[in-house]
Amino acid sequence: MSDFWVSTDTLRDRFSQAMSAMYQQEVPQYGALLRLVAQVNQQVLQQDSALARRLADAGELDRISVERHGAIRVGTAAELSMLRQLFAIMGMYPVGYYDLSQAGVPVHSTVFRPIDDAALRRNPFRLFTSLLRLELIEDDTLRQQASEILAARDIFTPRCRELVAVHQQQGGFDQLQAEEFVREALETFRWHQQTTVDRATWQALNQQHRLVADVVSFPGCHINHLTPRTLDIDQVQLLMPQQGIAPKAIIEGPPRRRIPILLRQTSFKALDEPVRFRDGEQGTHTARFGEIEQRGVALTAKGRALYDRLLAQAGSGAENQQHQQHLAQVFSAFPDDEATLRREQLAWFAYRRTEQAAGMTFAADSDIETLIERGLLLAEPIVYEDFLPVSAAGIFQSNLGDEARAQAQGHASREKFEQALGAPVSDELELYALRERASKQRCGLV
């Protein structure tokens, strides 16, 4: 029956496009952002034909225009566990554990995303999913009240729950079921102006932390941002004000480089949106924004340790141009050519034979750099598919205000998060290592 079912890749692609269309309707500035990013990407590809050829040869070009990541926040273990089951239907699995409490954001998180090469090429849609840490609410009465409010809601439609059970029972969806699933699943992430709390409760939650109010006060886990991928984030940051979009003060992550590494992110400021409280009073809520990302090569544990050390050394700035100049100076200690990144095992690469190597046999101990120099082997940087805790916290805080408090900090609790999730999270470094090793095996190098 497997040939009869709609593929997980198709389901993920349909769902991500439906979510993007919904978010454009809800947040018109997101549509303006998409147009700006498409314009900048087109200019970059026209000006850099070598990059365009390389992306096309690696099968990466088509994915850039559809690539998005989103972010959601849930309040209970039951909600997180159900999301895991829902995302699995779309070929998205939990990767990585992120503790944001150390930055004053009372959540811990994972990323639901595809993990194999073919799925990532088709549509690498990711959802950064955070679970509220109720234990970090200081007031005992407020913590109990928040717990009761969350326990009384169901962020999934009854039909969505039925369809998840159907999929688990029969092993797939036919075309009609797939269409209905996308439609029903989308409702979980829709924005609601009507809150589930009165104004006084919302104010108490908001005083604790804006994110607490955002998670607890609404009937669903509305998508709070969607992020297109750009090939030149500095240009997008520069052009955003011309489109009437106010960017955050600085671009998060590493500096601009010849060989981009990891992830750079910026965003436009969150919107003040009207809400209606349960007692009939009117108010505003600030949570949803637009974000842009530029992705580079994934780093090994050694490369990541160097990145983390240099980032800590650089610190943060208040003005983007000066911050980027300072970052560039500090990061001059990080090699910026692919050969050195490979030789020093700082980054992950995927290897493939050239036409010139057809029919040849490589020895298992062949020197990779020599094969590349002889034109027998190509090395493609493996795109970083994950996130950076410091950058994620920086984006969150820039759009939630300055409510981070020392007492809001907790301790990492991966074990508790995985218990809530109902499954272990994959280690992202192991996934990159497996992809590099598999590419070497295909080339006959191991």
Side-chain angles (χ1 to χ4, degrees):
M1 288 290 289
S2 60
D3 294 337
F4 178 73
W5 303 132
V6 175
S7 72
T8 56
D9 290 344
T10 297
L11 279 167
R12 184 175 64 260
D13 189 52
R14 290 180 183 176
F15 179 80
S16 67
Q17 291 188 39
M19 181 174 279
S20 186
M22 180 182 75
Y23 201 62
Q24 285 185 69
Q25 290 180 335
E26 294 180 347
V27 182
Q29 273 196 328
Y30 168 68
L33 193 66
L34 288 182
R35 291 188 290 273
L36 176 59
V37 168
Q39 171 192 327
V40 169
N41 287 352
Q42 184 178 23
Q43 290 174 349
V44 169
L45 293 171
Q46 288 174 344
Q47 294 167 5
D48 192 341
S49 57
L51 174 63
R53 281 196 305 273
R54 181 169 190 171
L55 288 171
D57 290 345
E60 295 285 339
L61 191 58
D62 291 340
R63 77 174 243 182
I64 291 175
S65 61
V66 301
E67 188 161 356
R68 302 283 186 276
H69 92 248
I72 56 174
R73 303 153 185 162
V74 296
T76 69
E79 291 173 351
L80 182 66
S81 177
M82 185 63 181
L83 282 175
R84 174 182 57 80
Q85 298 171 66
L86 184 147
F87 290 139
I89 293 172
M90 296 182 276
M92 299 163 65
Y93 308 100
V95 178
Y97 171 77
Y98 303 84
D99 172 33
L100 302 191
S101 69
Q102 295 304 304
V105 183
V107 299
H108 45 185
S109 316
T110 191
V111 178
F112 289 97
R113 68 167 179 87
I115 57 177
D116 67 72
D117 289 352
L120 288 165
R121 282 194 297 270
R122 173 68 183 276
N123 188 323
F125 183 56
R126 318 167 187 85
L127 270 176
F128 191 89
T129 302
S130 299
L131 174 65
L132 179 64
R133 299 185 66 176
L134 284 171
E135 74 272 16
L136 298 183
I137 296 178
E138 303 147 20
D139 185 277
D140 292 343
T141 302
L142 185 62
R143 188 188 318 119
Q144 180 61 31
Q145 187 178 13
S147 179
E148 291 171 358
I149 293 167
L150 290 169
R153 77 179 185 181
D154 190 347
I155 65 175
F156 306 96
T157 70
R159 183 57 179 158
C160 180
R161 288 186 174 277
E162 290 175 2
L163 286 167
V164 170
V166 166
H167 189 279
Q168 292 170 344
Q169 185 177 34
Q170 66 186 19
F173 285 145
D174 61 28
Q175 289 289 351
L176 289 177
Q177 290 170 330
E179 291 175 9
E180 189 179 15
F181 170 75
V182 169
R183 188 166 60 248
E184 293 292 329
L186 199 63
E187 291 304 309
T188 294
F189 309 98
R190 190 178 296 280
W191 170 249
H192 297 274
Q193 286 191 345
Q194 180 67 54
T195 72
T196 58
V197 301
D198 57 32
R199 176 184 277 277
T201 302
W202 180 84
Q203 287 177 332
L205 294 168
N206 198 57
Q207 187 174 7
Q208 175 67 37
H209 197 290
R210 282 194 190 179
L211 187 142
V212 175
D214 183 60
V215 174
V216 176
S217 302
F218 294 89
C221 61
H222 46 261
I223 189 83
N224 63 68
H225 68 264
L226 277 180
T227 305
R229 177 181 169 189
T230 184
L231 298 172
D232 188 344
I233 199 168
D234 300 278
Q235 184 68 0
V236 173
Q237 177 90 352
L238 186 67
L239 294 176
M240 282 167 71
Q242 298 179 20
Q243 304 294 321
I245 304 172
K248 71 184 295 293
I250 65 169
I251 297 172
E252 302 281 352
R256 186 182 186 94
R257 293 164 42 91
R258 273 196 327 111
I259 311 300
I261 58 173
L262 296 175
L263 177 68
R264 304 181 72 202
Q265 295 174 282
T266 189
S267 68
F268 66 70
K269 295 178 181 177
L271 310 172
D272 284 327
E273 300 184 85
V275 294
R276 296 186 304 273
F277 298 108
R278 197 177 64 184
D279 54 10
E281 292 198 36
Q282 305 287 319
T284 61
H285 182 63
T286 306
R288 302 195 302 158
F289 55 95
E291 188 180 77
I292 312 96
E293 64 182 19
Q294 181 173 353
R295 291 188 173 269
V297 62
L299 300 183
T300 62
K302 179 182 177 183
R304 184 58 185 270
L306 177 57
Y307 168 81
D308 288 342
R309 178 170 63 80
L310 294 176
L311 189 71
Q313 181 182 331
S316 186
E319 193 276 326
N320 190 56
Q321 187 172 359
Q322 291 180 347
H323 176 64
Q324 296 303 323
Q325 289 173 348
H326 178 58
L327 266 182
Q329 292 172 356
V330 172
F331 270 79
S332 62
F334 202 113
D336 198 12
D337 66 279
E338 290 186 7
T340 305
L341 291 174
R342 288 193 299 268
R343 280 197 302 267
E344 296 189 10
Q345 297 183 329
L346 295 171
W348 300 107
F349 289 82
Y351 299 92
R352 56 189 176 91
R353 290 167 169 264
T354 65
E355 293 182 4
Q356 188 178 338
M360 296 182 64
T361 301
F362 297 150
D365 60 351
S366 296
D367 181 70
I368 284 176
E369 296 306 314
T370 300
L371 294 176
I372 292 173
E373 290 170 6
R374 291 173 58 193
L376 301 176
L377 197 66
L378 290 173
E380 302 289 354
I382 294 179
V383 175
Y384 184 63
E385 306 288 352
D386 297 289
F387 294 87
L388 303 171
V390 172
S391 296
I395 293 284
F396 275 20
Q397 290 293 14
S398 71
N399 285 288
L400 287 167
D402 301 318
E403 282 77 11
R405 304 181 180 89
Q407 61 264 40
Q409 294 183 359
H411 299 287
S413 185
R414 178 172 178 155
E415 183 180 355
K416 286 186 177 179
F417 184 85
E418 291 181 332
Q419 287 175 354
L421 183 67
V425 298
S426 296
D427 183 287
E428 60 271 29
L429 290 180
E430 290 180 5
L431 293 178
Y432 294 122
L434 287 170
R435 290 177 65 191
E436 180 175 288
R437 181 174 178 81
S439 74
K440 289 180 177 178
Q441 287 176 329
R442 289 192 294 269
C443 293
L445 289 168
V446 291

